[in-house]
Amino acid sequence: MTMTSLNETHDPALRSWVDSANAPECDFPIQNLPFAVFRREGGEEEWRGGVAIGDQVLDLEALQRLRPFIGLAAEALEAASLPWLNEFMAMGQSAWSALRLALSRALRVGASGEADFVHCLVPMSEVEYGMPCVIGDYTDFYSSIYHATAVGKLFRPDNPLLPNYKWVPIGYHGRASSIEVTGQRFHRPQGQTKAPDAGQPSFGPCQRLDYELEMGIFIGAGNELGVPVNMAQAESHVFGLCVFNDWSARDLQAWEYQPLGPFLAKSFASTISPWIVTLEALQPYRHAFVRPEGDPQPLPYLDSDHNRLSGALDIELECLLQTPAMAEQDQPAQRLSRSSFRHSYWTVAQMVTHHTVNGCNLQPGDLLGTGTQSGPAPEEAGSLLELTCGGKQAITLANGEQRTFLEDGDTVVMRGVCAKPGLPRIGFGEVSGTVLPLRQ
Amino acid sequence: MTMTSLNETHDPALRSWVDSANAPECDFPIQNLPFAVFRREGGEEEWRGGVAIGDQVLDLEALQRLRPFIGLAAEALEAASLPWLNEFMAMGQSAWSALRLALSRALRVGASGEADFVHCLVPMSEVEYGMPCVIGDYTDFYSSIYHATAVGKLFRPDNPLLPNYKWVPIGYHGRASSIEVTGQRFHRPQGQTKAPDAGQPSFGPCQRLDYELEMGIFIGAGNELGVPVNMAQAESHVFGLCVFNDWSARDLQAWEYQPLGPFLAKSFASTISPWIVTLEALQPYRHAFVRPEGDPQPLPYLDSDHNRLSGALDIELECLLQTPAMAEQDQPAQRLSRSSFRHSYWTVAQMVTHHTVNGCNLQPGDLLGTGTQSGPAPEEAGSLLELTCGGKQAITLANGEQRTFLEDGDTVVMRGVCAKPGLPRIGFGEVSGTVLPLRQ
């Protein structure tokens, strides 16, 4: 089953009996219904699946004990109530859609089950989030041509955008074990670096610690090893998206990355936002995927009418920084840049199809990072490396502090949202992470 | 607990009441005792852990029902009897050693339990093997300087060995989902390639399909995210080693690998041998790790007396090919090359320590590939890419057939063994895999 159209769950006129979901600035209206794994903070409760509605989390484990649904929606609810969403993800689009429809109907103003459902709500302010699933493999793409060009200029001034870029959705295998959910606090990594003029490398703490503003794509139903997923099927294998911070140690990266790619520069930490927004919820924000004039068309295996007409997703992204000094003075995080996933040179479907064209199997819960989503303007860059021109031009913050790269105690916050006049706001919430000093 | 010496399980004089284990050419004498997951072939039995002894598999699930051991050995036996060895791997060196000692004593000539144990033996000829564990993350290193230099010459004639090679144990994240155990049969991968003189890439089946002769290193006890493993601790995190074929699509690799490393060129298939030989079993085959005259010493975090004195392992490797024509005429596989893991420029301990120095967490069951283990002589190359000088000089087989790269129906067999006069032979058995035609 491939989704190509809107259905009753997308109706902008829908309102929920959960009042907070109807506020115009709410990330989680009834048209969104993203999934997470959560529990009440501070306790020893079991982790379980939940759905965001307004400022509440609908506890799917509590809900499924009420047996509110029948058929596929009931089966999907049971799987989505578990401490890991892998089983639910594996069920595929028809199950995800059935549960979404059932939840949408139950949460609408006037729904008959309100009296029961209301007891399954937990205030979002009282919960903590877990990893939504076991991530078997994590792959990171490099899908912003603006990021690739800007970074290429720094690493290879004479050869910024390599000849394969406009043909191959460049990606590499990443480290799954060090991915955590929002709130990750990690020690500054250490490793080998070599200054351009040094005769040999030295060992010490990373001096050029950076973030990367990405989207994360969660695979739903997998494909069998040896059986590629074509463009027509690709989106049916995608469960949903989150916001993703792929922390990077630029000085480690510069010294280690040739010839086999980034390794320790990436594997110390990566942070996902807790809520996975389904591809179905993002339907109203599809738009045409147009390549710049003069660029080659994708090879046929990466091309389809559907992809050209509506393969891109208009997800606005922003990245914010809160320094220890700002936190001490209760100043909120300050925005460093804004961008959008619509700038991606490769669509979600193209990444999935390319990934599997050699027979590689994707499994439920696998994560694909999109790569840093920098926009065309320099101020739309999704990393400090770009915003500071490789660390040469410090950013001055509102309180007078300066940054080239991240300092100990810095907290980076990223947010994503789909918002257009006349359409319901589909928010991703945020992902936050904090740099701790080098571990002694 | 770190092993630095031999114990009674290594005594070359030990003999087993399983007669076949005492044959001089047997890979699995009582001094070896490697672990696998297996079941009787052709049935629907549950997978369970087993230990190789002679031409038999000791069924650990059947054995643990007899409760033959007490204390830590009993706990270890229970964990090692499960369908996945991750739990056993996580128990650490003291548990692995306790079980090894208990099994060694029980399998010796004259052991009191022979009458019970004999009922737990399954002939190796009647079993099939499963994956020994869930591999959370797979990392591939590049530890043979001879391989790195030879391949570097082909990909970058003017710049074969990059300046970081002698300082950084180069590695990259690999794809865990497509790793299978011996007997893997996979379709020829397809993808983008670009001929040097072509204006643009084309899409089609891989034309330069290759194997890579590697060792696989299984992580036992993991480390916490953010807590590096130093050289003194490194080996205690290693459960054991296997032989590993990291199939490679050279034409896909050449076009895709810059700037982020190999991706689809590797992720279609990788094959491990079924038996994991523990680091403890390999103790007698340790030897000094000496860098070539004039090469820099490793940075202190990658250096230790123990590593210099006995960090290397003398494991002989060989790679064989059986073409469809050979199979049809019942000709055995023909040897293409021999090499040894002792040529590795980086030791097991150095790979583990480097991998975690940035805080990256390794987990029980994670796999580290060593990279292709080519020796110093051209005929000791661990890949066809090297043996055929990049496909320019075909190999002529004994039956007159020629090969530059692998053809449909080819079966590649790799074997590993430790063997020295006066020491027990510690064999790895073999890993075999077959190329099927492009999937239609």
Side-chain angles (χ1 to χ4, degrees), chain B residues 32-108:
Chain B
N32 192 346
L33 304 178
F35 292 85
V37 164
F38 81 103
R39 64 180 180 186
R40 273 177 205 273
E41 200 172 20
E44 287 299 312
E45 288 183 351
E46 295 292 316
W47 296 103
R48 68 266 192 185
V51 163
I53 181 74
D55 59 7
Q56 305 290 311
V57 179
L58 181 64
D59 181 339
L60 298 184
E61 205 284 314
L63 184 63
Q64 70 95 20
R65 276 188 270 120
L66 304 178
R67 309 272 172 225
F69 307 139
I70 56 166
L72 189 54
E75 291 170 42
L77 175 60
E78 195 175 340
S81 71
L82 298 174
W84 302 110
L85 298 180
N86 298 74
E87 201 176 303
F88 176 51
M89 292 166 151
M91 293 178 80
Q93 185 64 58
S94 53
W96 313 330
S97 291
L99 182 55
R100 174 181 167 85
L101 179 61
L103 290 173
S104 171
R105 289 179 175 170
L107 290 166
R108 287 177 202 171

Side-chain angles (χ1 to χ4, degrees), chain A residues 136-137 139 141-142 156 162-164 167-168 170-178 180 184 189-190 192 200-201 203 225-228 255-264 267-268 299 301-302 354-355 357-358 360-363 366 439, chain B residues 136-137 139 141-142 156 162-164 167-168 170-178 180 184 189-190 192 200-201 203 225-228 255-264 267-268 299 301-302 354-355 357-358 360-363 366 439:
Chain A
D137 278 291
T139 298
F141 283 91
Y142 198 53
R156 297 172 303 277
L162 294 169
N164 57 11
W167 298 98
V168 179
I170 295 290
Y172 70 106
H173 311 291
R175 182 82 195 172
S177 70
S178 52
E180 293 190 346
Q184 184 168 26
Q190 57 183 353
Q192 284 190 41
Q200 63 176 66
F203 180 81
L225 185 58
V227 184
W255 174 232
E256 75 171 2
Y257 92 105
Q258 284 194 322
L260 299 182
F263 180 46
L264 301 189
S267 61
F268 56 92
L299 290 179
Y301 83 98
L302 290 175
H354 181 68
H355 203 318
V357 73
N358 68 340
C360 180
N361 54 333
L362 302 177
Q363 297 183 317
D366 281 354
R439 186 171 175 274
Chain B
D137 278 291
T139 297
F141 283 91
Y142 198 51
R156 298 172 304 278
L162 294 169
N164 56 11
W167 298 97
V168 180
I170 296 290
Y172 69 106
H173 310 292
R175 181 83 194 171
S177 70
S178 51
E180 293 190 348
Q184 185 167 27
Q190 57 182 353
Q192 285 191 41
Q200 62 176 67
F203 180 81
L225 185 58
V227 184
W255 174 233
E256 76 172 0
Y257 92 104
Q258 284 193 323
L260 300 182
F263 180 46
L264 300 189
S267 61
F268 56 92
L299 290 179
Y301 83 98
L302 291 175
H354 182 68
H355 202 317
V357 74
N358 68 341
C360 180
N361 55 333
L362 302 178
Q363 298 182 316
D366 282 354
R439 187 172 176 274

